[in-house]
Amino acid sequence: MAMIPLWWYLMVAAGLFTIGLYGALVRKNAVSVLMGIELMLNAVNVNAVAFWRYVSPTAKAAAGADRPVGDFVVGMDGQVFAVVVIALAAAEAAVGLAMVIALYRSRRSFNLPQMDQLQG
Amino acid sequence: MSQQTVVQLVFGVMAALSLGGAMGVVMARTVFVSALWLILSFVGVAGLYITLGAGFLAVIQVLVYVGAISVLILFAIMLTEDVMGDEHPNNGQVGLAIILLTPLIFLLGKWGFTANWPVKAAAILPRSGLSVDAATAAALPGALKTGDAFLVPDSVAYLGRVLMTEHFLAFEVVSVVLLVALVGAIVIARD
């Protein structure tokens, strides 16, 4: 049977997500909040790949000219999901850090509690 | 040591790396040390991908997260002074966050452990091209039968083909998002 049960991966991902959410909730520093968000995205990716490996390959092969043929073929949906999430995380990090640098230039600080210009 | 023990040991090391790194991120006193812990956590997650048989994703994880995002974060920290140390890195919400997150991790763990996930063929997936033997078929009645052939397309070529056919829309949307993020980051950071 399974060398590693699926729920081991789910536990690790749950822990990563909770720790990342904790970091995003309690940190004062904007960069630390970004790091917490990256941790949460990583947890989502671990879950996606784990489900790709353990749950998705039950479909019978839709034999076609452009795809491998077998009785059971592993789809690639989970991996595509993870690749998309990684690309979006990179975009999010670039924009987030640009915003942090722009804010630092005007406020000389990263601290989120001081960024209250929108507060009435 | 049996092969199973070795695989489980590797999983344990990688899980400890990723979770320990994550704890370091939220516990470190300075942002710089947090970023270094974050790199360790990313390496651990890349190892988890390898144990899952997603080698390409592990490489991408190391390239994008360890190579690009971590360096970007380190740059952002080091380009700005005054963030190297803070007496109180947390805001006043630590107690509230723990009160909220304790039920969250309890529920996530309960669902992950007790939910009846339809794990079928993959947990015992043979290598590509192999067929199911009688013992394996008996272990999962109904899901498999003896002689079924497996094909695990763990190849970059297959992933690329799927990205260009089935998931073409996602591919295009991501490319537009990357372009917009690039332009937006330049516009925001330059003034």
Side-chain angles (χ1 to χ4, degrees), chain B residues 10-26:
Chain B
V10 170
F11 173 88
V13 169
M14 291 307 165
L17 272 184
S18 53
L19 286 178
M23 284 307 284
V25 170
V26 296

Side-chain angles (χ1 to χ4, degrees), chain B residues 3-91:
Chain B
Q3 195 194 358
Q4 173 155 359
T5 318
V6 174
V7 171
Q8 291 184 345
L9 212 60
V10 170
F11 173 88
V13 169
M14 291 307 165
L17 272 184
S18 53
L19 286 178
M23 284 307 284
V25 170
V26 296
M27 292 299 166
R29 202 149 281 286
T30 69
V31 192
F32 192 81
V33 178
S34 275
L36 297 182
W37 282 110
L38 190 68
I39 296 177
L40 191 70
S41 182
F42 287 160
V43 170
V45 172
L48 288 181
Y49 289 157
I50 291 179
T51 63
L52 280 166
F56 177 69
L57 271 183
V59 173
I60 289 295
Q61 169 88 6
V62 171
L63 273 179
V64 175
Y65 273 110
V66 180
I69 293 182
S70 301
V71 173
L72 202 63
I73 290 175
L74 286 176
F75 265 153
I77 293 169
M78 291 198 289
L79 280 174
T80 52
E81 321 117 59
D82 192 35
V83 292
M84 295 302 285
D86 191 342
E87 299 278 308
H88 305 287
N90 295 337
N91 57 23

Side-chain angles (χ1 to χ4, degrees), chain A residues 1-29 31-32 34-36 38-39 41-42 45-46 49-58 60 66-80 82-95 97-102 104-105 108-111 113, chain B residues 3-4 7-8 11 15 18-19 22-23 25-28 31 34-35 38 41-42 45 48-49 51-54 57 60-61 64-65 69 72-73 76-77 80-83 86 88-91 93-94 97-98 101 104-105 108-109 112-113 117-125 139 143-145 147-154 158-159 161-163 166-167 174 177-178 181 185 188-189 191:
Chain A
M1 276 305 284
M3 281 187 168
I4 301 171
L6 172 64
W7 65 269
W8 288 22
Y9 287 102
L10 300 185
M11 291 303 117
V12 172
L16 266 182
F17 188 89
T18 312
I19 294 171
L21 189 54
Y22 174 80
L25 284 179
V26 307
R27 284 303 183 137
K28 267 198 303 197
N29 194 298
V31 178
S32 296
L34 268 179
M35 288 191 228
E38 297 293 341
L39 284 177
L41 288 169
N42 261 291
N45 268 351
V46 169
V49 180
F51 281 122
W52 163 76
R53 187 73 170 78
Y54 283 81
V55 177
S56 75
T58 52
K60 281 275 185 186
D66 62 339
R67 63 182 59 217
V69 177
D71 291 320
F72 284 86
V73 170
V74 182
M76 276 293 179
D77 292 2
Q79 284 210 35
V80 170
V83 167
V84 169
V85 169
I86 287 176
L88 291 181
E92 170 250 323
V95 175
L97 291 172
M99 282 169 64
V100 163
I101 286 180
Y104 181 78
R105 211 178 274 143
R108 313 304 296 170
S109 160
F110 275 171
N111 278 354
Chain B
Q3 195 194 358
Q4 173 155 359
V7 171
Q8 291 184 345
F11 173 88
S18 53
L19 286 178
M23 284 307 284
V25 170
V26 296
M27 292 299 166
V31 192
S34 275
L38 190 68
S41 182
F42 287 160
V45 172
L48 288 181
Y49 289 157
T51 63
L52 280 166
L57 271 183
I60 289 295
Q61 169 88 6
V64 175
Y65 273 110
I69 293 182
L72 202 63
I73 290 175
I77 293 169
T80 52
E81 321 117 59
D82 192 35
V83 292
D86 191 342
H88 305 287
N90 295 337
N91 57 23
Q93 301 173 350
V94 175
I98 291 176
L101 293 181
L104 175 72
I105 189 153
L108 283 177
F113 185 60
W117 305 111
V119 176
K120 285 164 196 159
I124 41 152
L125 217 54
L144 303 167
K145 59 183 193 296
D148 276 352
F150 272 95
L151 202 60
V152 189
D154 184 25
Y158 186 65
L159 182 61
R161 202 184 299 140
V162 170
L163 268 179
E166 274 177 69
H167 301 285
V174 163
V177 167
L178 279 178
I188 291 172
D191 55 2

